[in-house]
Amino acid sequence: MIIIGVDFHPEFQQIASVDSDSGEFQEKRLGHREEAEKFYRELAAAGQKVRVGMEASGHGRWFERLLAELQIELWIGDAAEIRSRRVRKQKTDRQDAQLILKLMLKDDFPRIWVPSWENRDLRQLLWHRHRMVQARTRIMNQLQAVALNEGLRCKKRLWRERGRQQLEAFRLAPWASRRRRDLLELMDRLNPTITELSQAIEQEVEKCPEARRLMTHPGVGALTALAFVLIIGKAERFRCGKQVASYLGLVPLEESSGNRRRLGHITKQGSSMMRFLLVEAAQVTVRSMPEWRSKYLHLMMRRGRKTAKVAMARKLAVRLYWMMRQGWDYQQWNKFGSHAGQPGHRDGVQ
């Protein structure tokens, strides 16, 4: 078997490889994409078994597809864990590739869970809608500012027929009028796109039993449920709700030593879109469930509104995790949920 450690860059990759049978060691720098593709196709054509290891990267989708096509085994590792194994204070591309190879040979490579291609493609649907909504929100905020400057303050009523007529009726200077017209045109173009994407998400939820079960929880809609299922993936890879909260970046930074404990803001690791959706869904849950509202108001009085929102988002994330892991809907959670995570508890039976 040929084992290859790859230090991946957008323009090139530095590799360090060893043949486990002959012990032959090789180092090479491959340009993207032609040179690298030629190298791996030649390895696959030779009929040799190949294993490739690399750090998680946001720019290597084509490389992953290539190796999958050639049936070359790919290990993707936690970049932070790999970085922590570095002993030398020097850092070069050659040393990074050698470190990855060394970890693979020692069977100490920190592999991570990699979602399927279908999962990744559905995430693109969610991200696309999320970005379109953000763009529309920025446009709407600018139009609200135009209305306020003209003495019209009607908040959400501005987007109704009468509010729109009032906005368009203002006599503005030439370039201000041009800006208002362009913003309204952009908003009119975004609305059908967002509606179409929302319908596509609802169709995907109908195919996903896990997402439908999560939607039974008050405040959780199709978008939040589907995003949670796609981003968490296999619930069994987390041992408890605390790990899920950490994975989503909803736990505080901590720098403690001795008797001193210092906590900071949340880590914001993981998916920013998922955190945003959980905060939005938690606010709906707070409005619809008295016990959540009581908890939220108590936290808000003690720690402030922002901290309370994040705390309720974390509470919702942990609850959705246990519903997903146990295969429960909201009614089953009410029946068995208080015992979730306790030793000896399994599928709601103690």
Side-chain angles (χ1 to χ4, degrees):
M1 174 185 285
I2 297 178
I3 302 176
I4 304 175
V6 175
D7 183 39
F8 193 90
H9 296 266
E11 301 86 4
F12 67 91
Q13 59 180 266
Q14 179 73 33
I15 69 169
S17 65
V18 65
D19 190 325
S20 59
D21 297 327
S22 65
E24 179 184 359
F25 176 76
Q26 183 181 13
E27 290 183 307
K28 188 178 293 187
R29 177 168 168 155
L30 303 173
H32 292 162
R33 297 181 39 177
E34 293 78 8
E35 188 177 359
E37 188 168 341
K38 179 182 178 182
F39 173 79
Y40 289 103
R41 289 192 181 278
E42 288 176 353
L43 284 180
Q48 295 176 297
K49 189 175 181 181
V50 182
R51 178 180 294 158
V52 176
M54 61 179 287
E55 293 181 351
S57 170
H59 309 286
R61 296 288 175 86
W62 69 268
F63 184 57
E64 295 178 39
R65 287 196 300 268
L66 172 65
L67 297 188
E69 175 190 343
L70 300 176
Q71 297 183 344
I72 293 176
E73 186 179 5
L74 174 63
W75 288 7
I76 298 180
D78 186 331
E81 284 287 336
I82 294 174
R83 195 179 306 116
S84 69
R85 312 288 174 85
R86 188 183 299 119
V87 178
R88 295 183 178 181
K89 292 186 177 180
Q90 293 177 323
K91 181 187 182 302
T92 65
D93 295 337
R94 288 183 59 195
Q95 290 174 352
D96 288 345
Q98 291 172 11
L99 174 61
I100 292 173
L101 176 61
K102 179 181 178 180
L103 294 175
M104 295 178 70
L105 292 173
K106 291 171 58 180
D107 198 22
D108 195 25
F109 186 75
R111 294 183 69 181
I112 60 174
W113 173 77
V114 179
S116 66
W117 290 107
E118 294 80 6
N119 184 310
R120 293 185 183 187
D121 192 47
L122 283 177
R123 291 188 188 195
Q124 293 299 312
L125 167 62
L126 299 180
W127 266 112
H128 186 42
R129 183 193 178 278
H130 184 60
R131 293 304 188 194
M132 293 296 102
V133 171
Q134 286 182 327
R136 183 178 64 179
T137 301
R138 287 193 292 269
I139 291 171
M140 293 170 71
N141 288 341
Q142 294 180 66
L143 290 170
Q144 285 280 7
V146 172
L148 286 172
N149 283 328
E150 298 301 319
L152 177 63
R153 184 177 184 274
C154 53
K155 297 184 178 180
K156 293 183 180 180
R157 296 194 305 274
L158 184 64
W159 315 121
R160 299 175 184 171
E161 183 177 356
R162 183 182 176 186
R164 173 92 177 230
Q165 291 174 354
Q166 289 178 296
L167 179 61
E168 293 177 339
F170 292 135
R171 294 184 178 181
L172 303 177
W175 283 111
S177 179
R178 168 68 182 274
R179 176 168 176 256
R180 174 185 57 187
R181 184 175 68 252
D182 289 348
L183 289 173
L184 287 171
E185 289 176 357
L186 287 172
M187 189 175 68
D188 291 339
R189 290 171 58 186
L190 284 173
N191 284 332
T193 301
I194 293 172
T195 300
E196 180 183 354
L197 295 174
S198 300
Q199 292 173 351
I201 289 171
E202 292 176 357
Q203 292 172 4
E204 293 297 334
V205 167
E206 289 299 319
K207 305 175 187 176
C208 181
E210 291 177 315
R212 293 202 303 272
R213 283 196 295 269
L214 296 185
M215 284 179 62
T216 61
H217 191 287
V220 178
L223 178 59
T224 305
L226 183 61
F228 194 86
V229 170
L230 293 177
I231 290 171
I232 295 300
K234 298 179 180 179
E236 294 76 16
R237 64 194 182 100
F238 300 98
R239 293 196 303 270
C240 60
K242 290 182 179 180
Q243 289 189 345
V244 173
S246 177
Y247 182 74
L248 297 175
L250 291 170
V251 296
L253 289 165
E254 182 171 2
E255 187 178 349
S256 302
S257 179
N259 295 326
R260 185 193 69 180
R261 189 184 186 204
R262 180 176 295 174
L263 300 178
H265 298 291
I266 59 172
T267 63
K268 295 187 178 181
Q269 293 178 320
S271 172
S272 59
M273 177 184 66
M274 191 70 253
R275 284 194 302 276
F276 173 83
L277 294 175
L278 285 170
V279 170
E280 294 291 310
Q283 291 181 72
V284 178
T285 307
V286 164
R287 291 194 294 268
S288 57
M289 297 178 62
E291 61 271 23
W292 279 59
R293 181 170 180 80
S294 175
K295 178 69 173 177
Y296 171 75
L297 292 175
H298 179 69
L299 286 170
M300 185 180 68
M301 295 296 292
R302 289 179 53 241
R303 304 300 300 275
R305 187 182 301 273
K306 292 182 180 179
T307 301
K309 287 181 180 180
V310 173
M312 301 312 292
R314 173 176 173 169
K315 179 180 176 70
L316 179 61
V318 173
R319 179 171 293 190
L320 294 180
Y321 159 72
W322 281 112
M323 289 173 62
M324 182 176 169
R325 179 166 176 174
Q326 301 291 350
W328 290 339
D329 58 22
Y330 182 62
Q331 290 183 346
Q332 290 171 312
W333 167 264
N334 282 333
K335 187 176 181 180
F336 303 118
S338 60
H339 306 294
Q342 293 184 3
H345 177 266
R346 184 178 180 182
D347 298 333
V349 179
Q350 298 186 68

